[in-house]
């Protein structure tokens, strides 16, 4: 999961706010030229050999989009049906692309390069604090979902290398197969030291590997669809297959509605959230313009949609209604010693462990912005914030029983705000168009959709918890 690399400073944004407000009064027609204008006022375009190419910018955006959400989309399809899932995923992807368009429109007007500073321009300091707080909660949820994968998959990976039978009795009692203990060791020995680094450095390059791991994961899901029989074995392991007689388990449903369907849209919103990375990627684009960056966005989200849909479809067609909320768990159960599955586990674990420290950087920046903006930057503050964030994330990962809960709660709250609500609100506040213009009506619809879907999903999820 890639993250913003060029966030703007609050002081600079506040200074530029005065320029922006005066410019609005001087030139009411500035928007007409924004399509081809450089990002920053008075700045000179990079020559053609400077900045990121179109293809590399698409890759960066896809790297920002693709993350742990891919493991929960098959579960979403199982609870909405193939057609229901396809329609919902297409709606979320389309609205995500449209909300990026609104952010780019605000970017060309305000000349800022961070999501937080757009909140400052729109609603002053309270807006900036609100956006920063939302990003903190979102990133804590993202890090928790990654470490949940470590807790659930690392014991099986260790068992696969150390024992011929990962389900044996002595293995389940071994300390090195305790998921919580392995999670704690990994966090203390790997995640925390890497998160303490003052600069992202090599983590930016290693996190790019996570994108290729997601593609590899998708290819393996397609191939392994024919390695697991249906109906599913009652006993795990390919060497002792006891086939169920319930042939109805092997029928895919086109539409389905259940209490678990409440997790579908939040999981999709969680999976497509890349909006905190869009503006920095825009700044690094060759010959940056709103139309060129919008093409990058449509291409990146479109390709991500394809990978998400294919992985969800073949994951669902492998396990049908028995698909788990974390897809890899099904393969661990029915193909525990498969070499290819083991390589996928290792690839995902490697990507997760190296990406979690990367997510600490914007989370720590947002914490500094909200709570410690009046203090000078120091190593003591740096270490304290990193340790606090790491502790919170580890506790969540240890005691949250299911990854779908992270996708559901974070997706229905912070993800819907960053994906739908905030871009629409900022556009309504900052745009000089008439209230009945198509773009403002679209922004208003985006806000209403985000609020309604987020609240409805959260209420249904809480209702499910109460009735469990």
């Amino acid at each position: 999961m890639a993250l913003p690399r060029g966030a703007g400073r609050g002081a600079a944004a506040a200074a530029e706010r005065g320029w922006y407000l005066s410019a609005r009064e001087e030139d009411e027609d500035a928007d007409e030229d924004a399509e081809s204008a450089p990002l920053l006022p008075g700045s000179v375009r990079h020559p053609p050999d400077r900045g990121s190419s179109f293809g590399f910018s698409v890759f960066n955006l896809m790297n920002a989009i693709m993350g742990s959400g891919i493991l929960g989309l098959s579960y979403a399809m199982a609870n909405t049906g193939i057609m229901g899932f396809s329609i919902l995923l297409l709606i979320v992807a389309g609205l995500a692309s449209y909300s990026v368009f609104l952010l780019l429109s605000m970017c060309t007007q305000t000349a800022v390069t961070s999501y937080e500073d757009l909140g400052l321009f729109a609603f002053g300091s309270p807006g900036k604090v609100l956006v920063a707080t939302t990003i903190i909660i979102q990133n804590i949820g993202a890090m928790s979902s990654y470490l949940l994968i470590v807790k659930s998959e690392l014991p099986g990976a260790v068992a696969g290398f150390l024992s011929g039978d990962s389900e044996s009795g002595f293995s389940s009692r071994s300390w090195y197969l305790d998921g919580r203990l392995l999670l704690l060791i990994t966090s203390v020995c790997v995640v925390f030291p890497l998160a303490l680094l003052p600069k992202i450095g090599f983590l930016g390059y290693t996190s790019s590997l996570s994108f290729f791991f997601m593609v590899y994961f998708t290819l393996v899901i397609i191939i392994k669809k024919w390695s697991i029989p249906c109906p599913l074995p009652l006993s795990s392991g390919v060497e002792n297959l006891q086939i169920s007689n319930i042939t109805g388990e092997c029928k895919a449903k086109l539409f389905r509605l259940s209490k678990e369907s409440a997790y579908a849209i939040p999981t999709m919103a969680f999976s497509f959230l890349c909006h905190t990375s869009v503006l920095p990627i825009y700044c690094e684009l060759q010959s940056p313009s709103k139309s060129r960056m919008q093409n990058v966005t449509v291409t990146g989200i479109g390709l991500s949609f394809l990978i998400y849909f294919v992985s969800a479809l073949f994951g669902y067609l492998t396990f049908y209604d028995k698909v788990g909320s974390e897809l890899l768990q099904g393969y661990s159960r029915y193909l525990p010693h498969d070499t290819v599955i083991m390589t996928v586990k290792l690839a995902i674990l490697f990507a997760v462990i190296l990406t979690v420290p990367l997510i600490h950087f914007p989370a720590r920046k947002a914490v500094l912005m909200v709570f410690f903006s009046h203090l000078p930057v120091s190593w003591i503050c740096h270490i304290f914030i990193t340790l606090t964030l790491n502790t919170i994330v580890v506790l969540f990962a240890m005691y949250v029983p299911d990854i779908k809960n992270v996708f559901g709660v974070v997706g229905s709250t912070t993800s819907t705000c960053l994906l739908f609500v905030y871009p629409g609100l900022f556009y309504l506040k900052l745009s000089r168009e008439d209230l009945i213009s198509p773009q403002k009506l679209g922004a208003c619809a985006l806000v209403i959709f985000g609020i309604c879907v987020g609240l409805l999903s959260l209420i249904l999820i809480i209702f499910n918890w109460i009735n469990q």
Side-chain angles (χ1 to χ4, degrees), residues 5 28 46 89 177 209 220 231 242 245-246 269 278 385 438 458:
R5 295 189 291 274
E28 291 294 324
H46 292 302
L89 192 69
L177 294 182
L209 292 175
V220 170
Q242 183 180 354
N245 292 322
I246 307 176
V278 167
I385 295 174
L458 184 61

Side-chain angles (χ1 to χ4, degrees), residues 297-317:
T297 301
V298 171
T299 304
I301 291 180
L303 292 175
S304 299
F305 172 89
L306 181 62
I307 293 174
Y308 278 158
F309 179 77
V310 171
S311 62
L313 177 63
F314 280 89
Y316 172 57
L317 293 179

